[in-house]
Amino acid sequence: MGILRGRVDLTYRASNDPLKMHRALRIVKPNTDISGDYTCVVSTFMEEDSRTKQMIVFVPETNFRLIQNKTDDDTVNVICAADGAFPAPNLTLATPLSIRMT
C-alpha cells in the first residue's frame, strides 16, 4: 500500500452490496504528504481498466496576518501573509472600490 500503509481503515465498507463494498477507501488522518497522483486498477477475468487522478489534501492556514503601518516619509507598508496553508495560496492585495453617491 506504499504511503497509505497504516492509514487506511481496512474494516470500511462503502456499501452493503457485495459488488460495491470495496469501491472506496477511508483514509485515516490524511495530511499533505499523501497528496499526489493515485491510480485505481480494476481487473476482471475478461479485461483490466485503470484511471489516474490527482488528490490534494488541503490544509487551512494556521496564522493569517494583514498588517499596515505608516512610515515617517508618508508611505504605507502593507504585509499580507498566511502561514501553514497547503497548497500555498495566492495572496492578492486589492484596494476597495470607490462608490460615488449622488
Side-chain angles (χ1 to χ4, degrees), residues 40-67:
C40 177
V41 179
V42 177
S43 301
T44 68
F45 293 114
M46 303 292 289
E47 61 185 313
E48 184 172 282
D49 198 7
S50 66
R51 297 283 190 280
T52 300
K53 291 286 183 177
Q54 184 182 44
M55 179 178 77
I56 299 174
V57 177
F58 291 91
V59 177
E61 77 278 354
T62 55
N63 185 26
F64 181 80
R65 297 180 312 282
L66 180 60
I67 303 167

Side-chain angles (χ1 to χ4, degrees), residues 2-22:
I3 197 165
L4 293 179
R5 183 177 303 283
R7 298 179 186 214
V8 176
D9 177 357
L10 298 176
T11 65
Y12 177 71
R13 303 290 182 256
S15 169
N16 289 328
D17 182 337
L19 299 177
K20 298 178 181 178
M21 66 173 43
H22 298 294

Side-chain angles (χ1 to χ4, degrees), residues 24-36:
L25 298 175
R26 176 178 287 161
I27 300 171
V28 180
K29 297 183 181 177
N31 57 29
T32 58
D33 68 329
I34 64 171
S35 292

